[in-house]
């Protein structure tokens, strides 16, 4: 299975995040899964790649051409041990390729770019453009506030409660991979489903 990991490029974050995402990369490779990601060598992107590389995993990096001449994240570096490096003309094309190649998505802590990537695959799943597993790996409770925001959107009826079925929140690596490996794709039309909190 090819798993796309979205996450931070910053190398200034706490080491506990780095260690956990390195573990993710190691366990993905150990279970026979390939990594698809944004090709960075720093931050949590680099951590996932290093972990996968340590266990001889397949690593596909997808990067826009302009990252070769401009800073990429904090360190401006591309991971140099990718199994395959795909270059694109734009960020839009980069996301499309990662989304198309992936069988599932894991969202680890990150900034605005990671938020955008999560909300894009979340939105596309709601619109039935794909039916792939989406996992939020909530390391150190990082995504508690975002999950609360989604719950608030449901409470105020800006988001249908059935949308909660479109992603899974996990707190450790094994739980995230177990969910993906046991995921059964179902046709979920959130616009036809009634509110699940009402028991209907």
């Amino acid at each position: 299975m090819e798993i796309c990991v979205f996450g931070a490029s910053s190398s200034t974050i706490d080491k506990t995040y780095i260690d956990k995402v390195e573990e993710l990369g190691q366990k993905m490779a150990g279970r026979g899964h390939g990594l698809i990601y944004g090709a960075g060598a720093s931050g949590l992107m680099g951590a996932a790649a290093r972990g996968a590389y340590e266990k001889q995993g397949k690593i596909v990096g997808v990067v826009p051409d302009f990252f070769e001449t401009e800073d990429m994240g904090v360190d401006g570096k591309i991971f140099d041990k990718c199994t395959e490096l795909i270059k694109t003309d734009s960020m839009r094309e980069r996301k499309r390729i990662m989304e198309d190649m992936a069988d599932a998505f894991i969202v680890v802590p990150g900034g605005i770019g990671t938020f955008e990537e999560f909300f894009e695959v979340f939105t596309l799943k709601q619109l039935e453009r794909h039916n792939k597993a989406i996992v939020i790996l909530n390391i150190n409770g990082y995504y508690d506030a975002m999950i609360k925001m989604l719950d608030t959107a449901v409470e105020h009826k800006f988001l249908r409660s059935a949308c909660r079925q479109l992603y899974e929140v996990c707190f450790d690596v094994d739980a995230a991979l177990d969910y993906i490996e046991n995921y059964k794709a179902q046709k979920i039309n959130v616009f036809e489903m009634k509110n699940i909190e009402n028991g209907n």
Side-chain angles (χ1 to χ4, degrees):
M1 188 181 299
E2 309 296 321
I3 301 175
C4 180
V5 175
F6 298 132
S9 62
S10 172
S11 58
T12 62
I13 55 183
D14 191 270
K15 188 175 183 295
T16 58
Y17 294 102
I18 301 288
D19 292 344
K20 186 59 66 174
V21 178
E22 280 192 11
E23 178 190 347
L24 172 64
Q26 292 166 355
K27 289 187 173 178
M28 281 174 52
R31 293 186 184 209
H33 304 307
L35 168 66
I36 298 171
Y37 85 120
S42 60
L44 300 190
M45 286 203 292
R50 289 192 303 274
Y53 181 76
E54 183 180 320
K55 298 296 183 181
Q56 294 80 52
K58 177 184 175 183
I59 305 167
V60 178
V62 186
V63 61
D65 284 331
F66 63 80
F67 276 167
E68 293 187 330
T69 57
E70 299 178 17
D71 282 348
M72 180 176 184
V74 173
D75 297 327
K77 294 180 182 177
I78 296 171
F79 188 68
D80 62 0
K81 295 180 175 65
C82 290
T83 310
E84 180 181 2
L85 185 65
I86 299 172
K87 296 181 180 180
T88 69
D89 293 330
S90 66
M91 293 290 283
R92 187 184 301 271
E93 184 186 7
R94 178 201 206 186
K95 288 189 298 179
R96 180 189 60 76
I97 288 172
M98 291 194 294
E99 290 162 9
D100 289 348
M101 293 184 70
D103 299 304
F105 304 96
I106 296 179
V107 184
V108 301
I112 190 167
T114 305
F115 302 156
E116 179 196 21
E117 288 162 338
F118 164 66
F119 280 107
E120 178 158 322
V121 296
F122 180 30
T123 300
L124 290 173
K125 190 170 183 179
Q126 176 183 298
L127 296 172
E128 299 184 83
R129 307 316 299 167
H130 75 83
N131 200 0
K132 302 172 183 180
I134 302 172
V135 174
I136 297 172
L137 185 54
N138 194 16
I139 302 168
N140 294 344
Y142 179 80
Y143 280 117
D144 286 353
M146 186 180 79
I147 294 163
K148 178 67 168 66
M149 181 192 73
L150 293 172
D151 289 341
T152 299
V154 170
E155 179 184 348
H156 291 272
K157 304 188 187 308
F158 287 96
L159 188 67
R160 293 174 182 264
S161 60
C163 289
R164 291 172 169 145
Q165 298 182 37
L166 302 181
Y167 60 88
E168 183 77 3
V169 179
C170 295
F171 296 90
D172 66 78
V173 169
D174 287 314
L177 294 176
D178 288 345
Y179 173 79
I180 286 173
E181 289 171 355
N182 293 299
Y183 177 77
K184 305 296 183 188
Q186 301 179 51
K187 182 177 175 63
I188 299 176
N189 186 324
V190 299
F191 303 103
E192 294 176 356
M193 296 177 70
K194 296 182 180 179
N195 287 343
I196 56 176
E197 67 264 24
N198 293 334
N200 296 324

